[in-house]
């Protein structure tokens, strides 16, 4: 096939996903993908929330100060996304984020059934991941805030919401750029480029917005800690900014 300037394409645009996708329920690959999203989100929340709590405990003056700092937290989030997207891209697409899944559903990249099941798996994985953190860091979990996203003092709800909207846009825009058919064909010999760009986008957004909201850009990342920590401010701020 040739395009309008007569140059042959070296890639093929993907067909739109079925709107509902009931037939997917009969395939093992569908359930394997849902399980992959659950496990990936569980691991993501476990490592990142553990990092946040560890940083706060090390930074506590009673513990002598120090810690990984905001830069280290941003690396933990970005690095885990890079690793998990690389591991799961061939199984589930490596969403690990309901916002990404919803965006891909709107773009007809995934069916409604798959989108709903992915988002449920992601939220359940987030809850289980934070529950593991609470189990292994029981003494520090409540004391250092449970890794929840909360609006920092001095910032308005509107400012926090704007920061999250812009940060989520940067992430989803990067995901769509990374999975664009022409780019995938061009970069297919370097399979780490897409996970690397997505992970780096997460890293950069965290550097910018950790001081404002703690950075969510992922509804599951906010939902899981809020469920396990279960404090009023965490729920109020999630409703307002997540």
């Amino acid at each position: 096939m040739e395009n309008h300037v007569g140059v042959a394409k070296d890639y093929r645009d993907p067909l739109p996903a079925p709107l509902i996708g009931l037939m997917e329920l009969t395939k093992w690959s569908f359930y394997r993908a849902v399980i992959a999203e659950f496990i990936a989100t569980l691991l993501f929340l476990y490592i990142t929330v553990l990092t946040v709590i560890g940083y706060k405990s090390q930074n506590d003056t009673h513990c002598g100060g120090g810690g990984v700092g905001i830069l280290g937290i941003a690396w933990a989030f970005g690095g885990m996304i890079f690793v998990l997207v690389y591991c799961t891209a061939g199984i589930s697409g490596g969403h690990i984020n309901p916002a990404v899944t919803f965006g891909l559903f709107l773009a007809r990249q995934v069916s409604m059934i798959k989108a709903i099941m992915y988002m449920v798996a992601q939220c359940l994985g987030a809850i289980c991941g934070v529950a593991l953190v609470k189990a292994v860091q029981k003494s520090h979990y409540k004391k250092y805030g449970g890794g929840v996203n909360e609006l920092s003092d001095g910032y308005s709800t509107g400012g926090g919401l704007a920061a999250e909207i812009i940060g989520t846009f940067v992430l989803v825009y990067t995901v769509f750029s990374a999975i664009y058919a022409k780019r995938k064909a061009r970069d297919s010999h370097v399979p780490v480029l897409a996970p690397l760009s997505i992970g780096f986008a997460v890293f950069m957004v965290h550097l910018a917005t950790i001081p404002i909201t703690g950075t969510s850009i992922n509804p599951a990342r906010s939902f899981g800690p809020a469920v396990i920590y279960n404090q009023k401010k965490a729920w109020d701020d999630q409703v307002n900014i997540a």
Side-chain angles (χ1 to χ4, degrees):
M1 181 183 294
E2 294 189 349
N3 60 22
H4 64 283
V5 294
V7 179
K9 282 186 176 182
D10 59 354
Y11 67 95
R12 182 175 297 175
D13 291 314
L15 295 174
L19 180 60
I20 306 298
L22 288 175
M23 287 298 296
E24 292 187 282
L25 294 172
T26 64
K27 300 176 181 177
W28 162 242
S29 60
F30 170 78
Y31 297 99
R32 184 178 64 175
V34 172
I35 293 169
E37 287 293 314
F38 171 82
I39 293 173
T41 314
L42 184 155
L43 294 174
F44 176 60
L45 267 291
Y46 174 75
I47 294 297
T48 54
V49 171
L50 204 56
T51 302
V52 170
I53 292 174
Y55 159 69
K56 288 183 176 180
S57 67
Q58 291 172 337
N59 202 46
D60 193 321
T61 54
H62 298 295
C63 297
V68 297
I70 288 178
L71 184 64
I73 294 173
W75 273 122
F77 279 88
M80 278 305 291
I81 287 296
F82 165 61
V83 169
L84 293 170
V85 171
Y86 180 78
C87 291
T88 60
I91 304 171
S92 66
H95 297 192
I96 322 171
N97 186 335
V100 171
T101 299
F102 184 67
L104 292 172
F105 165 68
L106 293 180
R108 296 292 301 276
Q109 298 291 308
V110 296
S111 67
M112 183 183 296
I113 292 291
K114 181 173 281 188
I116 291 171
M117 291 299 292
Y118 272 22
M119 289 188 279
V120 170
Q122 289 156 0
C123 289
L124 290 176
I127 292 170
C128 293
V130 181
L132 280 177
V133 173
K134 185 176 181 179
V136 302
Q137 280 276 31
K138 208 163 190 177
S139 60
H140 289 160
Y141 180 79
K142 282 285 187 183
K143 181 178 180 181
Y144 295 109
V148 299
N149 289 117
E150 292 182 343
L151 189 64
S152 299
D153 294 337
Y155 293 96
S156 67
T157 299
L161 179 62
E164 288 294 328
I165 290 173
I166 295 169
T168 306
F169 173 79
V170 170
L171 171 59
V172 176
Y173 180 70
T174 304
V175 170
F176 272 82
S177 298
I179 66 171
Y180 178 49
K182 185 175 182 179
R183 185 183 300 275
K184 286 176 70 177
R186 186 192 67 192
D187 298 339
S188 60
H189 60 291
V190 190
V192 299
L193 285 182
L196 183 62
S197 62
I198 295 167
F200 201 70
V202 170
F203 167 71
M204 295 303 295
V205 171
H206 274 75
L207 282 183
T209 57
I210 283 175
I212 304 173
T213 63
T215 309
S216 173
I217 62 171
N218 182 338
R221 184 266 178 269
S222 295
F223 182 70
V227 168
I228 300 300
Y229 191 59
N230 198 29
Q231 297 291 320
K232 185 177 185 301
K233 178 170 171 54
W235 282 114
D236 289 346
D237 285 354
Q238 178 165 208
V239 170
N240 290 328
I241 65 176

